[in-house]
Every structure is written in structure tokens, then in C-alpha cells.
Amino acid sequence: MKGEGEWHRRKHGASKCRVWRKIHIGIDEETLEIRAVEVTSSNVGDAPMLPKLLKQIGLDRQIATVTADGAYDTRACHDAIADRGAAAIIPPRRNARPWKRDSAGA
């Protein structure tokens, strides 16, 4: 008797190693213009990309709000948003706890 994985391999051949790419974009919500872009491999998390995206937007451009999903609920993301003088609209993670007020994004 063969297991499902072995049966699948014999029936369909060995699986091919696929490399996935992710695109991270920053969009102006009023004009829908793309302001920042980063392409990464699938093993790079979303949160580390937010500060890099914000750096692509010139300091002469005002950012009012940054809207993102719970994956961006990190201190580094909140600090990067606060450094640009913007408000973060990010839902807290399921296991979120209040931060001590020792940084700009807290």
C-alpha cells in the first residue's frame, strides 16, 4: 500500500520546485497612483517592507494615513508611519498587547 504522497508522485511525476514572488505596493488612495513598489521572494515577510516603501515616497509628499492589514501591526511599522507624520490604520493582531509608550509609534 502506498501513501498519498508516493501515489501522487508516481501518478503525476515529481513536483517541480516553484519560486513565488510577492509584490508590495504603496498606492495614493485619492489618485490611485502607485507611489512605491518592492518585489520580493515569497519568504520575505510583509511588515519589513513597509519602511522601505515609505522611503520611496519623497519627504516632500505628505502622507496622511497608512492603511494595512494586521500583518503590519509591528512596532517598526508603527514607528515608520509616525516618523512620516501619518496615522496608522492597522487592525491589531489577534494576540496584540498594549505597548509601552517609549517610541513614536506606540
Side-chain angles (χ1 to χ4, degrees):
M1 188 135 219
K2 297 184 184 348
E4 181 181 343
E6 187 176 346
W7 173 86
H8 190 272
R9 189 171 35 257
R10 284 182 169 244
K11 179 81 174 165
H12 301 287
S15 65
K16 296 176 182 151
C17 181
R18 293 192 174 124
V19 178
W20 299 98
R21 300 283 183 228
K22 294 192 313 188
I23 184 167
H24 308 266
I25 57 175
I27 299 175
D28 184 320
E29 71 176 351
E30 290 180 10
T31 64
L32 301 180
E33 185 176 344
I34 296 173
R35 298 288 184 189
V37 176
E38 285 284 337
V39 178
T40 64
S41 60
S42 61
N43 64 344
V44 176
D46 294 339
M49 299 313 302
L50 181 67
K52 294 177 183 182
L53 291 170
L54 291 175
K55 285 180 183 177
Q56 289 182 25
I57 301 170
L59 294 175
D60 59 327
R61 296 283 206 178
Q62 182 182 4
I63 301 173
T65 60
V66 174
T67 305
D69 63 27
Y72 296 88
D73 185 28
T74 66
R75 188 172 296 253
C77 287
H78 282 274
D79 287 347
I81 294 167
D83 288 345
R84 290 300 300 263
I89 303 175
I90 301 172
R93 292 181 181 202
R94 189 173 9 155
N95 61 350
R97 295 185 188 149
W99 293 332
K100 294 179 182 176
R101 296 212 170 260
D102 59 354
S103 68

